[in-house]
Amino acid sequence: METSTSLTQSMQHITTTKLDALSRQQQSYETSKQRILGAAACQSTQAGKVKVLLDALEVHDIDAPANISKANVRRFLEQSRHDPSVPSALLREWQMTLEQALEAPSRKYEHASLFGRLVVEWLGSEALPLSDASSDSQDHFEHVGRKEMYDQRREWESIVFAEGSTSNPAAIKTYLTGIFGSTSKAKKMVKEPLEALREGMRSFKLGTFDTLVLQTCMTGMLKTDLLSEEKRKALVDFSNNSTLLQEIADVLNMQIDALENWSWGEEGVPVSVRRALNGKYRVYMDEEILQALLIHFIGMKWATHFRTVFGAFFHSGAWKQSSDNSLDGPARRKRQRFFGQGSGQSVRNERRERYQSDYFLSQLPELFDDGTDNYSEGSPNDDVKSPMAIKQSLLHLISTELLLNARLNRSITVFQSDFKWFGPSLPHATIISVLHFFGVPETWLKFFEKFLKAPVKFVQDGPEAQTQTRRCGVPIQHRLSDAMGEAVLFCLDFAVNKSTESNLYRLHDDIWFWGSSNASALAWESIQEFASVMGLTLNEGKTGAAKVSGDLDVVPHETSLSNRLPQGEVRWGFLRLDSSGKWTIDDQQVETHIRELQQQLKACKSILAWVQAWNMYVARFISNNFGEPANCLGRPHLDMVIEAFEKIQRGLFADIDLPGENVGEYLRVELAARFGVENIPDGFFYFPIELGGLGMRNPLIPLFLVRGESLSDPMVKFDEAFELEEADYYNAKQSYEDGTSISRHLRTNTHDNEPFMSLDEYSRCREETSIHLHGAYTALLEPPRSAIVEPTPDVRNADRKLDPVAYHRGRDVYEQWVLQLYGADIIRRYGGLALGEKKLLPIGLASILRSEKIRWQG
């Protein structure tokens, strides 16, 4: 197994070898170039100078500039020997252009040298805040963490090493019996919902390992941030060795056969404190690899089983859909007489479908090979909607609901909360009581208890660290922990649904609810009761409520929040919801993160690490917390975020020992100071790594890509829907009164002279009946259309030359914008869009470094 240190040394050796070869090629080319320029200067005629330069381009396989055809120039040179009509000024222009073309390889060699030195600099700073240095590294940031880290560790220890005394198994059983014991079933269901749920739990089968299952587990674990970098690299080595895979599978199957004897071992599992991108500190276990694989396998099996069994309960008839704003039987039949059977496309149905697909048990995978990291701040997974994508869709859903209720002239109350230290504080007795109530077999309950009561010791305390047994909470980044947490919170989801006939929108333990004042109050009371019974504490710092009126003319006391609801602001990311239903940016929170970003950037000892920190913190974390653009947020939100990013950049470089006034100036100054390189083109900073750029992300470009197509007033979508709805009504009424309506011919004699329904009656319960309202609702949840970046001929042709196959597949619009913005300058300097020859650039090594898990400065 190659350790992190030896791998780094190997990467340094590869880069150094490339740099040595590059230096020799560069020296050889520069000598040749000087000889060529000297030979051209010795020519007595202008045509002779051009011919020498043209021959040199072919010898060295240098592309001619876009405005020159080498074949044509040779023809014109031949003409000039006999025909004085070929202008001498044109020959001089060709000479200058070809001399510039000879400079392009020189610039590429210089760039390749700089790029290689940047990689060497990054490799030489392995023990940096952005590296995954092993836990015993003397330079690892966790050894010198901030006061906040030690404070949070002490609080964590006070929770997990104390018995969860507020959890009463008898009270939990009584509570759950009251909720689940009297549920109605759907007509097609044979068994009562609770009985079917318990039968499903008893049917669990674990299965065994084979090499394919083992590789799936390894892939899933590598997507998490559980193991140390040394163990992560070992896991990659294991996954590429077929013989070793079979041996590991055999050993794990032996452990499954003797699962009743499984234990963590006596020595204690190493744990360490790490700082997350959002500033929170979390305690991670670092168990032995085979132990981690076994637990991951069991966790995935139970998580997918819970998803299936709880999903069946959702469809059993026990889960209710509110009857508010819904037609009763006579009204539905009357509507069918006039308009026939509806399409089924309605806001009510859309809400239920989105809740089920995006929010119901969102922490649990549907399939065994779903390796989504539930704690990731990263970009979406290709196959499964990522936690961040779901969080963004929640903002868009709330915003659309606010608009809809305002257009329907209804007040709406929104509240949010979460549980304080949910993972560490979840009592073991609560978990076991809930699973026992649901019918999980006793043998598995015993295994779960052993899993929960893990002996742990902090690596920061050194070799004499004390081993202590966990008495409360679940370990982070384990699928089995996710399954247990979701099983408990599933009870909360159903309790709220039963009391309100509405859904609690939940992302792990972050909970959101909106509806009428009364429904919101009932939901909040259900949450408080659940927390009390389960031994959990609600987080007052993240709890708040807001009432938004749909009528601007109401008297002030009607907009006041019910005293049955929590006080405090409603927040999403860096946004606050005001009383008018608009989101505004919390400038104070942004200032806090600017200071944090300053500290993280100052801690970076290499340029590439600095760029990676910028990309993760600004272009991803801060951008995510401003909210992704959507039609429901409109152009005002985009303009607000654009202005915020202007402030961030000004604040970042103010009152700090970072040179320059913006990102580009800082990097230009640093490159000059560290490597003596001047006159750096802006494209170098923003071009993708595969073209030899630094790959720095500009958070403003995605905003400008959609700004032109964004709605200046999102409410216009609902206005249009109402107009279309009214037009449908009058067309239908006219057809009915003219006797041309199909529905009239199909009507029975009983209703033959029935007058056509009124517009008010037709418009009632739009959320159930209006296809146009459904169209507007779904359109507002979507992102604005992106602009089409029109490539100029020089950039288009240069891009096609790079890789014709990739060119026809197309670049994403962000890269198109970057290439078009900086491409002309890069083409002029380097003869194309590639800043260096790919074989001379250590691009692969840079990509490996960028792909590693980021560990933030503590």
Side-chain angles (χ1 to χ4, degrees):
M1 180 184 70
E2 191 171 38
T3 65
S4 179
T5 301
S6 61
L7 180 62
T8 300
Q9 291 172 347
S10 298
M11 294 168 75
Q12 286 176 324
H13 177 71
I14 292 170
T15 307
T16 302
T17 301
K18 278 197 169 187
L19 284 173
D20 290 342
L22 171 67
S23 179
R24 290 191 295 271
Q25 292 181 38
Q26 183 178 15
Q27 187 175 358
S28 173
Y29 177 77
E30 291 301 324
T31 301
S32 178
K33 184 180 73 173
Q34 292 305 317
R35 188 166 55 248
I36 293 164
L37 293 174
C42 292
Q43 296 296 311
S44 58
T45 65
Q46 196 69 44
K49 297 177 189 294
V50 172
K51 184 177 183 304
V52 168
L53 296 172
L54 197 61
D55 290 343
L57 259 63
E58 293 187 347
V59 168
H60 290 279
D61 195 24
I62 300 172
D63 289 336
N67 61 340
I68 281 185
S69 163
K70 287 190 280 190
N72 285 346
V73 171
R74 287 198 182 280
R75 296 187 184 100
F76 300 150
L77 286 177
E78 183 64 23
Q79 177 186 356
S80 70
R81 291 176 56 195
H82 310 285
D83 183 358
S85 68
V86 177
S88 57
L90 181 60
L91 293 172
R92 284 194 298 273
E93 183 179 336
W94 287 342
Q95 177 188 351
M96 293 175 59
T97 301
L98 295 174
E99 286 175 347
Q100 290 175 359
L102 284 175
E103 288 300 319
S106 295
R107 293 193 181 98
K108 286 188 174 183
Y109 280 121
E110 291 170 0
H111 178 80
S113 175
L114 172 61
F115 195 93
R117 285 184 288 167
L118 287 170
V119 172
V120 169
E121 180 192 46
W122 199 359
L123 288 167
S125 55
E126 264 288 273
L128 291 182
L130 297 183
S131 75
D132 265 339
S134 60
S135 58
D136 57 353
S137 168
Q138 293 302 309
D139 295 325
H140 199 250
F141 72 85
E142 290 165 348
H143 288 289
V144 287
R146 308 178 196 170
K147 177 180 179 297
E148 292 92 331
M149 185 186 79
Y150 294 105
D151 291 343
Q152 290 192 33
R153 172 182 162 175
R154 281 192 294 271
E155 187 169 359
W156 184 88
E157 289 179 298
S158 71
I159 296 170
V160 302
F161 296 136
E163 198 78 49
S165 57
T166 56
S167 178
N168 184 327
I172 292 173
K173 182 179 179 180
T174 301
Y175 170 78
L176 295 178
T177 301
I179 295 174
F180 290 92
S182 58
T183 51
S184 59
K185 63 181 179 181
K187 292 179 181 179
K188 61 183 178 180
M189 301 292 292
V190 177
K191 297 182 175 66
E192 292 294 330
L194 179 59
E195 181 186 353
L197 188 156
R198 286 172 169 169
E199 187 172 296
M201 288 298 182
R202 290 192 291 269
S203 70
F204 175 79
K205 302 293 182 185
L206 180 61
T208 57
F209 279 93
D210 58 26
T211 54
L212 182 60
V213 168
L214 182 56
Q215 285 181 312
T216 301
C217 288
M218 290 178 170
T219 300
M221 285 183 58
L222 288 171
K223 290 181 179 178
T224 71
D225 197 18
L226 176 63
L227 299 178
S228 67
E229 184 60 21
E230 183 177 350
K231 289 179 181 175
R232 289 172 58 82
K233 288 181 170 62
L235 207 57
V236 173
D237 291 341
F238 293 166
S239 67
N240 294 324
N241 187 321
S242 58
T243 302
L244 193 55
L245 282 173
Q246 187 59 60
E247 292 289 341
I248 294 173
D250 291 342
V251 170
L252 291 171
N253 285 329
M254 291 170 62
Q255 292 188 15
I256 288 175
D257 290 338
L259 202 60
E260 68 276 7
N261 298 320
W262 177 88
S263 73
W264 285 107
E266 298 178 0
E267 292 188 357
V269 182
V271 295
S272 59
V273 183
R274 300 183 204 153
R275 184 182 184 278
L277 188 56
N278 61 7
K280 296 178 181 177
Y281 291 87
R282 297 184 176 125
V283 177
Y284 291 79
M285 297 175 69
D286 186 27
E287 58 253 40
E288 186 271 329
I289 292 177
L290 265 64
Q291 190 87 284
L293 285 167
L294 176 65
I295 293 171
H296 182 81
F297 173 71
I298 293 172
M300 287 297 294
K301 286 288 187 176
W302 269 108
T304 52
H305 190 69
F306 281 170
R307 178 91 184 211
T308 300
V309 173
F310 292 145
F313 183 88
F314 181 84
H315 293 286
S316 69
W319 216 276
K320 300 300 182 183
Q321 188 173 15
S322 175
S323 58
D324 290 347
N325 308 304
S326 177
L327 297 173
D328 58 20
R332 184 173 290 107
R333 288 190 292 273
K334 181 176 181 180
R335 189 178 182 90
Q336 288 173 354
R337 288 198 300 274
F338 285 108
F339 298 97
Q341 192 69 35
S343 68
Q345 291 184 315
S346 68
V347 171
R348 276 172 58 82
N349 289 342
E350 184 72 25
R351 285 185 185 125
R352 185 175 175 87
E353 289 168 10
R354 285 184 182 261
Y355 173 76
Q356 181 189 351
S357 64
D358 292 350
Y359 303 98
F360 181 66
L361 303 175
S362 62
Q363 300 294 299
L364 298 183
E366 292 187 39
L367 302 172
F368 183 79
D369 58 358
D370 172 14
T372 305
D373 180 2
N374 287 332
Y375 295 89
S376 172
E377 293 283 353
S379 54
N381 180 284
D382 291 336
D383 303 315
V384 180
K385 202 166 187 179
S386 72
M388 179 50 66
I390 295 173
K391 181 180 177 181
Q392 296 290 339
S393 68
L394 177 66
L395 171 66
H396 302 157
L397 191 59
I398 296 170
S399 301
T400 301
E401 290 284 353
L402 289 168
L403 288 170
L404 175 59
N405 279 273
R407 186 60 181 83
L408 294 174
N409 202 27
R410 291 197 311 238
S411 295
I412 181 173
T413 299
V414 182
F415 75 77
Q416 69 174 138
S417 188
D418 77 351
F419 295 101
K420 190 174 183 180
W421 289 89
F422 175 73
S425 70
L426 186 55
H428 293 173
T430 294
I431 297 170
I432 300 303
S433 297
V434 169
L435 296 182
H436 181 268
F437 179 83
F438 286 147
V440 173
E442 193 67 31
T443 53
W444 279 109
L445 294 179
K446 290 178 180 178
F447 176 84
F448 294 157
E449 283 196 277
K450 287 191 283 187
F451 165 77
L452 292 169
K453 297 187 183 304
V456 297
K457 57 182 178 181
F458 282 90
V459 296
Q460 285 95 340
D461 294 347
E464 304 301 321
Q466 178 186 2
T467 299
Q468 300 183 76
T469 300
R470 293 191 64 141
R471 298 184 181 279
C472 190
V474 293
I476 195 172
Q477 288 280 338
H478 287 74
R479 273 300 189 192
L480 192 50
S481 298
D482 295 336
M484 292 174 176
E486 287 295 290
V488 173
L489 292 172
F490 168 77
C491 304
L492 172 63
D493 296 338
F494 184 59
V496 170
N497 176 262
K498 192 168 185 179
S499 67
T500 66
E501 295 189 341
S502 297
N503 293 319
L504 183 73
Y505 287 79
R506 181 173 59 77
L507 306 179
H508 193 36
D509 68 313
D510 289 334
I511 50 184
W512 292 78
F513 187 91
W514 55 87
S516 67
S517 292
N518 185 57
S520 297
L522 289 172
W524 180 240
E525 288 162 3
S526 295
I527 292 168
Q528 290 176 302
E529 181 185 12
F530 169 86
S532 175
V533 172
M534 297 297 178
L536 296 168
T537 303
L538 289 162
N539 186 351
E540 292 183 5
K542 292 184 66 176
T543 298
K547 182 177 181 181
V548 179
S549 172
D551 188 348
L552 298 179
D553 297 326
V554 296
V555 293
H557 76 270
E558 293 180 352
T559 63
S560 61
L561 193 66
S562 168
N563 57 13
R564 296 165 62 194
L565 286 162
Q567 303 302 305
E569 293 183 312
V570 173
R571 295 172 175 268
W572 184 101
F574 297 161
L575 305 178
R576 295 185 297 192
L577 182 65
D578 64 25
S579 58
S580 68
K582 304 295 184 184
W583 296 99
T584 60
I585 289 177
D586 183 350
D587 292 330
Q588 184 176 352
Q589 199 171 7
V590 173
E591 286 294 329
T592 299
H593 282 279
I594 290 176
R595 292 193 295 272
E596 180 59 42
L597 176 59
Q598 288 173 336
Q599 179 160 335
Q600 297 297 341
L601 294 177
K602 286 168 65 178
C604 295
K605 295 181 175 60
S606 70
I607 295 293
L608 289 177
W610 197 98
V611 170
Q612 190 183 26
W614 171 271
N615 286 348
M616 288 296 295
Y617 212 112
V618 178
R620 184 176 295 182
F621 175 71
I622 292 180
S623 292
N624 284 342
N625 279 282
F626 281 152
E628 290 180 359
N631 289 326
C632 56
L633 297 172
R635 190 174 299 169
H637 169 259
L638 282 169
D639 290 340
M640 178 177 66
V641 175
I642 289 170
E643 183 181 349
F645 273 123
E646 286 185 77
K647 292 179 181 177
I648 286 172
Q649 188 154 220
R650 286 198 301 269
L652 179 63
F653 293 93
D655 302 323
I656 186 175
D657 54 350
L658 290 177
E661 295 182 356
N662 57 54
V663 176
E665 282 189 27
Y666 165 78
L667 290 175
R668 198 171 275 110
V669 170
E670 284 295 301
L671 288 167
R674 299 185 190 199
F675 302 101
V677 180
E678 305 282 353
N679 195 27
I680 298 292
D682 290 290
F684 171 53
F685 306 138
Y686 296 100
F687 262 41
I689 270 195
E690 60 267 23
L691 297 183
L694 295 184
M696 188 166 67
R697 302 286 294 186
N698 185 333
L700 288 168
I701 290 177
L703 305 178
F704 286 116
L705 276 166
V706 299
R707 187 182 182 279
E709 296 295 327
S710 62
L711 299 172
S712 57
D713 181 9
M715 190 66 82
V716 71
K717 283 292 182 183
F718 286 135
D719 292 339
E720 291 171 355
F722 280 27
E723 290 173 8
L724 291 170
E725 187 181 275
E726 189 170 332
D728 283 354
Y729 168 79
Y730 283 113
N731 288 336
K733 182 180 181 182
Q734 186 67 46
S735 297
Y736 178 83
E737 292 173 349
D738 292 345
T740 58
S741 170
I742 295 176
S743 63
R744 181 156 192 165
H745 294 305
L746 296 177
R747 200 181 323 281
T748 65
N749 292 334
T750 306
H751 303 97
D752 193 43
N753 296 316
E754 183 179 15
F756 199 74
M757 65 169 57
S758 67
L759 177 61
D760 179 66
E761 190 176 8
Y762 170 78
S763 302
R764 202 172 299 153
C765 303
R766 284 184 167 106
E767 289 154 284
E768 183 181 7
T769 62
S770 175
I771 189 173
H772 298 301
L773 192 66
H774 172 263
Y777 185 90
T778 54
L780 286 169
L781 291 169
E782 295 298 315
R785 286 186 301 174
S786 178
I788 297 174
V789 181
E790 297 181 6
T792 53
D794 57 338
V795 172
R796 181 176 58 247
N797 294 333
D799 196 14
R800 186 186 290 114
K801 278 185 180 180
L802 287 172
D803 186 343
V805 176
Y807 174 79
H808 287 293
R809 283 200 304 265
R811 295 184 181 275
D812 64 46
V813 287
Y814 177 90
E815 283 193 354
Q816 291 175 30
W817 185 293
V818 168
L819 294 187
Q820 194 57 53
L821 181 60
Y822 304 110
D825 181 42
I826 297 299
I827 292 169
R828 180 178 60 80
R829 291 171 182 252
Y830 298 94
L833 289 175
L835 285 83
E837 296 295 334
K838 195 169 186 178
K839 62 184 178 182
L840 298 175
L841 297 170
I843 289 173
L845 300 185
S847 298
I848 290 173
L849 287 167
R850 286 169 64 102
S851 67
E852 291 189 351
K853 287 286 182 180
I854 288 184
R855 303 280 167 82
W856 291 94
Q857 172 69 29

